[in-house]
Amino acid sequence: MTEEWQRGFYRRSLEQRQTLLAHGRDLGPLGEAQLQINATPEHDLVIENYVTDYRVPEGLVLGLVVNGQPYTVPMATEEPSVIAAASNGAKRVAQSGGFTAVIQERQMIGQVVLQNVTDPDHVITDLLMHKAELLQLANAARPSMQKRGGGAVDLQIRPLGSFVSVDLLIDVQDAMGANSVNTMAEAVAAHLRENGYDVLTAILSNLADHSLVTVTCQVAFADLATAALDGETVAQRISALSNLAQVDPYRAATHNKGIMNGIDAAVLASGNDWRAIESGAHAYAAKGGHYRGLAVWTVGAEGLMGMLELPMPVGTVGGSIKLTPQSKLNYQISRIQSAKELAQVIASLGLAQNLAALRALATTGIQAGHMKLQYRSLALSVGATPAEVPTLVARLATENHVDAAKATALLREMRENE
C-alpha cells in the first residue's frame, strides 16, 4: 500500500525526495543530513528514485603479476577478508613467476529467438542463405562500431525444439557493449518479422562463451608450506579440494563463490556490470550439464598448477564505465588500457582468490584468518571507536563463542575499567 509521502516520488527533485523520505520514515534531521552528505547530484540522472549513495569500501591488491607485468588493482567490497585473501594468493603466485592469461577472441552474443518453428531445417537453411545480409543489417544499426574495426562478424543458428536462436557474434572492441548488441539484435529481429518470422525476443546473452579468458599459474611447494605442513602436502590437499568441486555441486558453489569474491570486487571498481559477469560465470560452470568448480588445481613435479577459464566480457569504455570520478581514478591507479588487459587481470585475481581460500581450507581452516578480520567489523558494529577496535578484537580472539552480545559486553567492560 502506497504511503502518502511515496506518491509521485519519482517526479520530485532530489532535495524533495530526501526530505520526503526523512519525514516519511522518521529519520530525523540527522538522517536527512546524512542523505544529503552522501548524495552525488549527477547520480540523480543515472537511476530512478535516487536519494543518496551507498558507499562500499575500496582497497588495493598490490603486485598481482599477469603476463610478466605487475598490477595494482582496485577492489570494492564490504567483505573483510576478500582483499587480504587476494593479496595473499597474488603474492604466492608472483613468487613463482605470476599468472599467464590468454584471450582467444572477444565477442558478445546477441540472440534473436524465433518461436513456433515447425520446420527447423528449412528455417536454418533460409537464414544461412541470407547470412551476409543479416550481418550487414546488424552493422548498419551501429556503423561506428564497424568503422572502429568491430561489429557483427559472424552468425550461428541453434535449433531449440520449437525455437530457433539466431546468434549474432559481435566484436564490441573495448566497450562493455550491451546496448550496442541489443540494438543490433533488434535491427535483425525487425527484418525477420517483416519477412514472416515469429520473433519472440532479441537481446544479448550474458553467457559470453566467445569472450573466454584462460588463466594459468604454478606455485612452488615452498610457497605453500605452513609451520605444520610441508608444501607438497598442502598442494595435494588443495588438489583434492579442487577435485571435489568438480563432482559435488554443493562444494562447487562455494568454490566458485570464492573466485567471484575477487572478480566481483574488481569488476565493480572498474565500473563494469558485475551481475553480468557473475551470471555468465555460473552459467559457464554448468555448461556440461553438471555444475562444477571453475578453477582446477593439479600437482606437478615442482609445484601446484592452477587453471581458471571463464567468460569475461568487460570493457574500458562506454556504459557506466568511468561514469563516476572514482571509477575514472581507478583506471589511473591500475593503468589498464584495454578491455582484453582488464579481463586478463580480473580473471587472474579470481584465481589468486581461489588459491588463498583453498590453502586456508587445506591447512588451518577457513575461519582462522577470516574471523580475525570479521572481529574488526563486529567491533565497529557494536559501537567501538577506531581507537578501541584493536583492544576489543584482541579480547574477542580469546573467546570460545563470539557474537554481538559478547562484543557489546566486552566493550562495556573495557570502558568501565578505563
Side-chain angles (χ1 to χ4, degrees), residues 3 28 58 100 133 194 215 276 373 402:
E3 299 178 36
E58 178 174 301
T100 299
E133 180 184 355
E194 291 171 359
V215 180
L373 295 168
V402 172

Side-chain angles (χ1 to χ4, degrees), residues 92-324:
R92 293 181 192 282
V93 175
Q95 290 169 343
S96 297
F99 297 94
T100 299
V102 177
I103 300 177
Q104 298 295 340
E105 58 183 351
R106 186 174 183 275
Q107 298 165 358
M108 296 290 288
I109 299 171
Q111 283 188 272
V112 181
V113 181
L114 312 179
Q115 64 178 347
N116 300 319
V117 177
T118 56
D119 189 349
D121 291 338
H122 173 75
V123 168
I124 292 171
T125 299
D126 181 54
L127 293 173
L128 289 176
M129 286 177 59
H130 294 88
K131 176 178 177 178
E133 180 184 355
L134 295 174
L135 291 175
Q136 185 178 6
L137 282 165
N139 285 319
R142 273 287 189 270
S144 60
M145 183 176 292
Q146 193 173 36
K147 289 179 182 177
R148 293 194 300 269
V153 297
D154 201 358
L155 180 150
Q156 297 177 352
I157 302 176
R158 293 179 297 119
L160 304 166
S162 64
F163 300 101
V164 168
S165 182
V166 182
D167 297 342
L168 296 166
L169 303 183
I170 301 171
D171 179 355
V172 295
Q173 298 287 282
D174 282 326
M176 193 188 311
N179 291 331
S180 294
V181 171
N182 287 336
T183 297
M184 297 167 84
E186 288 175 358
V188 171
H191 174 78
L192 293 178
R193 284 192 184 99
E194 291 171 359
N195 285 271
Y197 285 104
D198 186 357
V199 178
L200 174 63
T201 189
I203 190 171
L204 87 161
S205 171
N206 289 122
L207 177 51
D209 57 3
H210 287 263
S211 295
L212 296 177
V213 180
T214 304
V215 180
T216 57
C217 69
Q218 180 169 311
V219 189
F221 291 136
D223 294 325
L224 294 170
T226 69
L229 294 170
D230 65 88
E232 188 168 359
T233 298
V234 174
Q236 293 288 355
R237 292 185 179 185
I238 290 174
S239 178
L241 286 165
S242 172
N243 291 338
L244 177 60
Q246 296 301 305
V247 298
D248 178 22
Y250 288 90
R251 174 70 203 118
T254 308
H255 181 94
N256 291 341
K257 191 271 182 181
I259 294 169
M260 301 312 291
N261 274 344
I263 288 176
D264 286 348
V267 172
L268 179 59
S270 75
N272 277 270
D273 185 351
W274 62 268
R275 298 159 299 273
I277 302 301
E278 182 89 25
S279 65
H282 292 297
Y284 191 68
K287 67 182 177 66
H290 173 85
Y291 186 83
R292 59 182 179 81
L294 286 164
V296 177
W297 297 90
T298 57
V299 179
E302 298 181 0
L304 179 70
M305 295 175 291
M307 191 276 286
L308 169 65
E309 181 178 80
L310 78 169
M312 191 57 62
V314 291
T316 52
V317 296
S320 60
I321 300 167
K322 301 178 184 175
L323 181 66
T324 67

Side-chain angles (χ1 to χ4, degrees), residues 40-97:
T40 303
E42 292 81 2
H43 289 175
D44 190 25
L45 302 173
V46 177
I47 63 170
E48 190 84 351
N49 290 342
Y50 175 74
V51 291
T52 194
D53 287 351
Y54 182 86
R55 300 185 179 181
V56 177
E58 178 174 301
L60 301 175
V61 167
L62 309 175
L64 177 78
V65 177
V66 182
N67 295 335
Q69 180 174 338
Y71 287 91
T72 298
V73 188
M75 298 176 67
T77 179
E78 85 296 344
E79 172 59 48
S81 60
V82 166
I83 295 177
S87 299
N88 182 292
K91 180 180 178 181
R92 293 181 192 282
V93 175
Q95 290 169 343
S96 297

